[in-house]
């Protein structure tokens, strides 16, 4: 495994050599990768790095290599959502976050693997085959941003972008022992993010340190007039980087512990909360009473939106086309051969949930539950500053263990999806290990109060050593 | 007289109006001025529905929609809400159309038309905003086509769909409603109705209280009248033969003038409407007072004002206010000529000549009609000559003064007549003597000479009096 280097370390290396050399060394590491985290390596990466050396870019991320999830549009660089149906699609435009990254001098190394159309928790449903967890290559890296987490954990890139619809940044961050943030809905523009479930998802940064997460947020966050759901609100995320949790009030949702949660995972999380107590914070149990309905509500909303979002993939304009005698047959064949099993399942379930006669029973009811879940968070977070819980109920599971049992896969999202329904921000940080596998601590905050959860995460990092452990270093 | 609607006809119309006077499309910054340009040159990731693109509402489009709603006497919704209407078609790049569903921007309005038996109020159920799809162009006929081109220039254009209540009782009333709608939209200056596809009509029609049939693909008002006439006849014949009318959608074949069944109720789509997550509701209720201020005087109000301000006949006021351009033209003329004369000349004569030539009022200079009215008023030309001047201007060009000269249209002036009378008397001593001797008829000889000398332009009665006066002098 390659060494982990954070952004400040990268900048030192660039100062000592050049952006080109740093980029070249990462490309060399990627060339030897055994985890299938990258889907495409950008053939222009070195050229971009050379340009930065030449122009002496003063951007926040000048020369910093970064990897981008397969569902974020990059002009001239294949963006397929790890689906067969988008084979050959090269976007003619950059997503808002890509424009921001390029302006800040970041060097995009390539695109990373994911569950097809972000529909999964394991990155096994990718058209490109599964990504392996660097901590144990027999296990999944989590998903759906499994590639983005694994390449950071494997030292193939210092930072990456993922997207989080129901836990897709936080889950792989937890499974791969890295840091991942799901920003408040509306904090980061979704322009250019290929939609799975628009009302739930956000692009989020992944890195080895909280500092790097805040730095990335300073670059990609903020209003974009092309995304009507992005909010006009200024924030400096790096201002949050203070080692101080004295007086911080932590709520521990009782519904996020106990049944279904691996004992060792729970114990590791309690240890972390104990550490916070040592650091001057206080905690108490809180209740989010509608949690038990959140999963059902989430899947109905996500699948309903997906069934409509994915209607545009019909072989007419871009991507895969399977010819047929007329347009309808062509579109049907293209979709039949282009989409994988899980994607088809979700399109069908979403179509069903929105159909006349079932719309009120499923979709409308799910929206009502969503309101209740949101109220749960508002109520709890009126009383405490942050909520803490295990990100995932278990450590990374084995490849193939759950892929044929969709329900057990859906259940793994139980602690992450309520956050997306409510739209609040949440970060997963490494908080220890069980059986040699990383455990993630999830810290949830109020709407647009990323800075409080970043401060809590940063303080934890400053006072513990979990984030410094590399794959292979933990027995 | 009350119209008793013998066949129990009920007609409701759905009119799609393309707001082609907006500079940009409904959800992106693409220009709307594509009509003369190459296919797929006015497109971007948003209106092509490329993966990852997101819509942003065009606020001016919302203002236009509110303007239309208010002009149709509608209530305006508190905040905008868009839905997705899901169906597959190659002209629909996202696989759904972004439209308004249970919260249309405007609802419960009315339009007043000249019905079968006097003024009639047609209810407006709703007016909602939606995006136009692209256009398909088949190679060859639709049945035998070897392929289809898709032009997305139109994709994402703003449409307002205006849905009426089923309040019309005849194709004629439907036509009047469409004309009135067009008139109001012209007044609002929100669209250019002359551009292709600017107004598209779907009609719902039933007879004798039976199920309604929807007739689609009607591309002109004349077509709407024809389609309805045919469809009513078809339904009546079908019932007469013992058939039953079922809920269905039919296609109007403009070339053959018939409607053809497309699908029945069972085959109707389930559009799976749900709220568009990418657009946040926009509060618009607060803007109503400001929009109201921008509303121009509308046809009905203008007609009443013309009646009272100019004292002209209601028939004239109505004709003059259908088109805003004609109304403005008239008012300019009325400033410089007698308003009543102006009404006759513009509404009866000029409009008739323009319609006959399929021309717009723009084709005629305001000063020219003022001059013609003035020439007639001063008795320098006859009314018939005035009409002739209008025709000449429209067909050959030129200005009234020049045409009067070149066509010799001036009424003969007094001194010319006087001179002719003097000459005629001097040249006819015998006739004078005969007349004075009591032969009345010999006067005709002298008058005839006058007419000859003036090439018939003198008024014969006037010439006779002048001859008499000359002899008796």
């Amino acid at each position: 495994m390659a060494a982990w280097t954070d952004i400040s370390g990268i900048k030192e290396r660039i100062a000592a050599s050049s952006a080109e050399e740093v980029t070249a060394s990462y490309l060399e590491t990627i060339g030897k990768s055994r985890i299938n985290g990258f889907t495409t390596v950008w053939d222009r990466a070195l050229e971009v790095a050379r340009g930065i050396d030449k122009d002496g870019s003063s951007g926040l991320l000048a020369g910093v290599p970064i990897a981008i999830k397969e569902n974020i549009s990059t002009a001239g660089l294949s963006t397929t959502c790890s689906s067969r149906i988008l084979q050959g699609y090269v976007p003619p435009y950059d997503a808002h976050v890509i424009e921001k990254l390029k302006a800040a001098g970041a060097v995009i190394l390539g695109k990373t693997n994911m569950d097809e159309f972000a529909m999964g928790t394991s990155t096994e449903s990718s058209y490109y085959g599964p990504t392996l967890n660097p901590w144990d290559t027999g296990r999944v890296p989590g998903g759906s941003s499994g590639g983005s987490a694994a390449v950071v954990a494997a030292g193939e890139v210092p930072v990456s972008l993922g997207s989080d619809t129901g836990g897709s940044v936080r889950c792989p961050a937890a499974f791969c022992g890295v840091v991942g943030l799901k920003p408040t809905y509306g904090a980061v523009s979704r322009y250019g993010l290929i939609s799975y479930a628009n009302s739930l998802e956000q692009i989020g940064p992944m890195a080895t340190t909280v500092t790097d997460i805040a730095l990335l947020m300073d670059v990609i966050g903020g209003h974009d007039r092309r995304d009507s759901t992005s909010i006009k609100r200024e924030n400096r995320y790096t201002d949050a980087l203070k080692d101080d949790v004295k007086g911080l009030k932590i709520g521990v949702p009782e519904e996020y512990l106990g049944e279904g949660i691996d004992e060792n995972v729970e114990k590791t999380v309690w240890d972390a909360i104990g550490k916070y107590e040592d650091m001057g914070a206080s905690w108490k149990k809180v209740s989010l009473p509608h949690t038990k309905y959140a999963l059902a509500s989430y899947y109905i909303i996500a699948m309903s939106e997906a069934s409509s979002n994915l209607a545009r993939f019909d072989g007419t304009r871009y991507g895969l086309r399977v010819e047929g005698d007329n347009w309808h047959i062509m579109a049907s064949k293209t979709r039949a051969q282009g989409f994988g099993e899980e994607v088809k399942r979700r399109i069908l379930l979403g179509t069903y949930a929105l159909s006349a006669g079932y719309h009120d029973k499923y979709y409308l009811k799910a929206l009502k539950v969503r309101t209740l879940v949101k109220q749960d968070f508002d109520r709890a977070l009126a009383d405490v500053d942050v909520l803490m819980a295990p990100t995932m109920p278990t450590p990374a599971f084995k490849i193939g263990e759950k892929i044929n049992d969709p329900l057990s896969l859906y259940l793994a999202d139980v602690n992450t999806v309520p956050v997306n329904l409510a739209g609040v921000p949440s970060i997963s940080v490494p908080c220890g290990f069980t059986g040699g596998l990383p455990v993630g601590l999830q810290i949830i905050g109020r709407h647009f109060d990323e800075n409080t959860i970043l401060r809590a995460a940063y303080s934890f990092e400053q006072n513990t050593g979990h984030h410094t452990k590399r794959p292979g270093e933990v027995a | 007289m009350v119209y008793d609607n013998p066949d129990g006809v009920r007609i409701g119309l759905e009119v799609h109006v393309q707001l082609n006077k907006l500079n940009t499309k409904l959800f992106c910054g693409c220009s709307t001025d594509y009509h003369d340009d190459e296919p797929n040159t006015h497109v971007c990731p948003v209106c092509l529905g490329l993966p990852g693109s997101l819509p942003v509402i065009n606020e001016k489009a919302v203002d236009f929609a509110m303007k239309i709603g208010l002009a149709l006497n509608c209530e305006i919704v508190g905040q905008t809400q868009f839905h997705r209407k899901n169906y597959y078609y190659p002209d629909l790049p996202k696989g759904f159309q972004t439209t308004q569903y249970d919260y249309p921007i405007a609802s419960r309005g009315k339009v007043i038309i000249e019905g079968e038996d006097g003024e009639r109020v047609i209810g407006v159920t709703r007016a909602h905003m939606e995006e136009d799809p692209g256009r398909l162009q088949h190679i060859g006929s639709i049945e035998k086509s070897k392929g289809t081109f898709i032009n997305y220039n139109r994709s994402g254009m703003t449409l307002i769909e205006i849905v009426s209540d089923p309040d019309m009782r005849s194709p004629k009333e439907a036509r009047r409603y469409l004309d009135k709608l067009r008139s109001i939209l012209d007044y609002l200056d929100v669209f250019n109705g002359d551009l292709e596809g600017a107004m598209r009509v779907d009609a719902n029609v039933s007879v004798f209280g039976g199920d309604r049939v929807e007739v689609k693909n009607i591309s002109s008002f004349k077509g709407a009248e024809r389609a309805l006439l045919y469809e009513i006849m078809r339904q009546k014949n079908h019932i007469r033969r013992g058939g039953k009318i079922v809920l269905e959608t039919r296609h109007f074949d403009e070339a053959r003038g018939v409607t053809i069944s497309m699908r029945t109720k069972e085959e109707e789509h389930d559009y799976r409407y749900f709220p568009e997550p990418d657009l946040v509701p926009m509060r618009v209720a607060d803007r109503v007072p400001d929009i109201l201020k921008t509303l121009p005087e509308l046809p009905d109000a203008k007609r009443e004002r013309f009646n009272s301000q100019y004292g002209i006949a209601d028939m004239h006021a109505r004709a003059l206010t259908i088109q805003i351009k004609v109304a403005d033209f008239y008012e300019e003329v009325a400033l410089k000529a007698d308003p009543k004369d102006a009404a006759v000349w513009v509404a009866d004569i000029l409009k008739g000549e323009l319609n006959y030539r399929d021309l717009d009022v723009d084709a005629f200079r305001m000063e020219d009609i003022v001059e013609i009215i003035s020439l007639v008023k001063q008795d320098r030309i006859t009314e018939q000559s005035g009409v002739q001047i209008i025709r000449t201007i429209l067909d050959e060009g030129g200005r009234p003064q020049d045409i009067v000269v070149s066509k010799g249209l001036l009424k003969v002036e007094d001194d010319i007549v006087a001179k002719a009378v003097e000459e005629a008397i001097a040249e006819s001593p015998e006739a004078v003597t005969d007349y004075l001797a009591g032969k009345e008829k010999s006067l005709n000889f002298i008058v005839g000479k006058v007419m000859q000398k003036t090439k018939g332009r003198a008024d014969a009665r006037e010439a006779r009096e002048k001859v008499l006066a000359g002899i008796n002098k």
Side-chain angles (χ1 to χ4, degrees), chain B residues 168-301:
Chain B
M168 286 151 278
R169 300 165 297 176
S170 67
K172 189 168 112 191
E173 286 191 344
R175 175 67 192 266
R176 293 264 169 84
Y177 168 80
L178 290 171
D179 285 339
K180 189 60 175 281
L181 212 53
R182 167 79 195 257
S183 168
I184 292 168
L185 293 166
D186 276 338
Y187 268 62
L188 297 176
D189 197 27
V190 291
F191 93 131
N192 176 357
D194 296 332
L195 288 179
E196 193 193 358
M199 265 179 115
R200 283 163 260 161
V201 183
D202 297 338
N204 284 287
V205 56
S206 66
V207 297
F208 306 122
D211 272 337
R212 68 182 162 82
V213 169
E214 185 177 16
V215 183
K216 282 189 172 289
N217 305 97
I218 306 173
S219 60
S220 70
F221 292 180
K222 212 178 275 175
E225 217 174 336
R226 281 175 63 217
L228 285 166
L229 279 169
Y230 175 86
E231 181 57 22
I232 290 166
M233 184 82 76
R234 188 193 68 81
Q235 292 188 19
K236 278 163 62 183
N237 286 341
H238 190 65
I239 291 167
R240 192 177 306 135
R241 290 189 206 106
K244 194 176 178 307
I245 301 298
V246 292
L247 221 52
E248 66 171 335
T249 302
R250 299 177 72 86
H251 160 91
F252 180 55
D253 185 331
E254 194 123 32
R256 294 197 288 149
V258 299
T259 66
I260 303 149
S261 183
M262 279 166 75
R263 56 176 182 264
T264 56
K265 179 76 167 53
E266 291 71 47
E267 301 162 74
E268 286 290 332
H269 297 288
D270 175 359
Y271 291 118
R272 309 192 311 279
Y273 285 98
F274 75 101
E276 168 57 80
D278 290 329
L279 288 168
V280 288
M282 189 169 102
R283 178 137 189 91
V284 290
D286 317 335
R287 279 155 69 175
V288 169
D290 284 338
I291 302 280
L292 271 174
K293 276 182 222 150
T294 70
L295 278 191
E297 182 184 37
L298 292 166
D300 293 335

Side-chain angles (χ1 to χ4, degrees), chain A residues 294-341:
Chain A
L295 209 57
S297 162
Y298 166 82
Y299 274 102
I300 288 169
I301 292 170
M303 291 175 186
S304 296
E305 291 181 10
S307 73
S308 172
N309 288 329
L310 272 60
R312 70 190 67 195
F313 305 111
D314 56 18
T316 305
R317 289 158 297 270
Y318 43 77
L320 178 75
R321 173 188 290 193
V322 183
E323 296 295 345
D325 285 344
N326 63 44
W327 184 81
H328 288 277
I329 291 172
M330 177 196 88
S332 298
K333 281 188 169 173
T334 301
R335 292 169 68 79
Q337 295 180 34
F339 290 135
E341 284 308 304

Side-chain angles (χ1 to χ4, degrees), chain A residues 368-452:
Chain A
K368 287 177 185 164
V369 170
R370 181 175 192 171
T371 305
L372 294 173
V373 168
K374 205 178 205 166
Q375 287 169 356
D376 280 356
F377 279 97
D378 289 346
R379 217 169 287 133
L381 286 164
D383 204 21
V384 296
D385 300 315
V386 297
L387 301 174
M388 289 190 188
T391 306
M392 298 302 290
T394 66
F397 44 86
K398 289 203 171 92
I399 290 171
E401 187 183 326
K402 294 190 177 183
I403 192 67
N404 294 317
D405 183 3
L407 268 185
S408 77
L409 267 177
Y410 297 174
L411 282 171
D413 298 340
V414 66
N415 282 3
T416 50
V417 298
V419 164
N420 299 76
L421 287 173
V424 291
S426 171
I427 192 167
S428 180
V429 292
C431 69
F433 295 86
T434 171
L437 296 169
V439 173
L441 169 70
Q442 180 175 215
I443 310 171
I444 303 163
R446 300 183 188 113
H447 284 104
F448 294 105
D449 192 15
E450 273 82 354
N451 284 19
T452 299

Side-chain angles (χ1 to χ4, degrees), chain A residues 69 71 117-118 144 163-170 182 193 195-202 298 302 305 416-417 419-421:
Chain A
K69 192 175 177 181
N71 61 353
F117 281 101
S144 67
S163 70
D164 190 314
T165 310
S168 283
V169 161
R170 290 161 288 155
K182 198 290 285 185
L193 170 69
S195 302
Y196 156 28
N198 330 44
S199 75
L200 297 161
E201 58 209 9
Q202 280 284 291
Y298 166 82
E305 291 181 10
T416 50
V417 298
V419 164
N420 299 76
L421 287 173

Side-chain angles (χ1 to χ4, degrees), chain A residues 127-468:
Chain A
Y127 176 62
Y128 304 106
T131 292
L132 316 182
N133 190 320
W135 294 86
D136 175 351
T137 52
R139 292 178 185 268
V140 302
S144 67
S145 311
S148 286
V151 294
V152 170
E156 294 175 14
V157 71
V159 290
S160 66
L161 291 188
S163 70
D164 190 314
T165 310
S168 283
V169 161
R170 290 161 288 155
C171 159
F175 280 7
C176 292
V178 298
V179 191
L181 173 73
K182 198 290 285 185
T184 307
Y185 189 77
V188 177
S189 168
R190 291 182 293 115
Y191 189 78
L193 170 69
I194 301 182
S195 302
Y196 156 28
N198 330 44
S199 75
L200 297 161
E201 58 209 9
Q202 280 284 291
I203 291 169
M206 308 183 85
T208 56
T209 66
V210 176
T211 304
D212 285 1
I213 295 284
L215 259 171
L216 283 170
M217 281 302 291
D218 277 348
V219 172
I220 66 170
H223 178 68
D224 170 20
R225 60 166 305 279
R226 294 169 300 184
D227 176 359
S228 308
T229 63
S230 84
I231 305 291
K232 284 189 181 116
R233 193 176 167 283
E234 296 294 316
N235 186 34
R236 249 177 70 112
Y237 296 88
T238 41
D239 286 349
L241 303 175
K242 295 190 185 87
D243 178 5
D244 177 15
V245 290
K246 276 183 204 72
L248 184 80
K249 285 187 271 182
I250 300 166
V252 182
E254 54 193 20
E255 292 83 1
Y256 287 35
L257 294 162
E259 201 195 326
I261 309 292
D262 178 283
E263 269 177 40
N264 293 322
V265 166
E266 184 165 339
K267 187 187 168 297
T268 310
V269 167
W270 277 119
D271 289 348
I273 293 167
K275 181 74 195 174
Y276 272 103
E277 231 179 345
D278 298 344
M279 287 155 59
S282 63
W283 69 268
K284 65 175 195 176
K285 280 208 173 175
V286 296
S287 176
L288 302 170
H290 297 94
T291 301
K292 56 180 174 289
Y293 307 116
L295 209 57
S297 162
Y298 166 82
Y299 274 102
I300 288 169
I301 292 170
M303 291 175 186
S304 296
E305 291 181 10
S307 73
S308 172
N309 288 329
L310 272 60
R312 70 190 67 195
F313 305 111
D314 56 18
T316 305
R317 289 158 297 270
Y318 43 77
L320 178 75
R321 173 188 290 193
V322 183
E323 296 295 345
D325 285 344
N326 63 44
W327 184 81
H328 288 277
I329 291 172
M330 177 196 88
S332 298
K333 281 188 169 173
T334 301
R335 292 169 68 79
Q337 295 180 34
F339 290 135
E341 284 308 304
E342 183 58 28
V343 173
K344 283 181 195 167
R345 180 174 10 254
R346 296 194 190 196
I347 290 174
L348 284 173
L349 286 170
T351 302
Y352 179 79
L354 286 174
S355 296
Y358 301 98
H359 184 277
D360 292 3
K361 196 171 161 190
Y362 295 109
Y363 181 71
L364 216 62
K365 194 169 253 179
L367 289 186
K368 287 177 185 164
V369 170
R370 181 175 192 171
T371 305
L372 294 173
V373 168
K374 205 178 205 166
Q375 287 169 356
D376 280 356
F377 279 97
D378 289 346
R379 217 169 287 133
L381 286 164
D383 204 21
V384 296
D385 300 315
V386 297
L387 301 174
M388 289 190 188
T391 306
M392 298 302 290
T394 66
F397 44 86
K398 289 203 171 92
I399 290 171
E401 187 183 326
K402 294 190 177 183
I403 192 67
N404 294 317
D405 183 3
L407 268 185
S408 77
L409 267 177
Y410 297 174
L411 282 171
D413 298 340
V414 66
N415 282 3
T416 50
V417 298
V419 164
N420 299 76
L421 287 173
V424 291
S426 171
I427 192 167
S428 180
V429 292
C431 69
F433 295 86
T434 171
L437 296 169
V439 173
L441 169 70
Q442 180 175 215
I443 310 171
I444 303 163
R446 300 183 188 113
H447 284 104
F448 294 105
D449 192 15
E450 273 82 354
N451 284 19
T452 299
I453 60 173
L454 285 169
R455 178 163 56 88
Y458 178 78
S459 303
F460 187 73
E461 202 176 77
Q462 295 303 303
N463 291 280
T464 57
H466 310 297
H467 69 289
T468 61

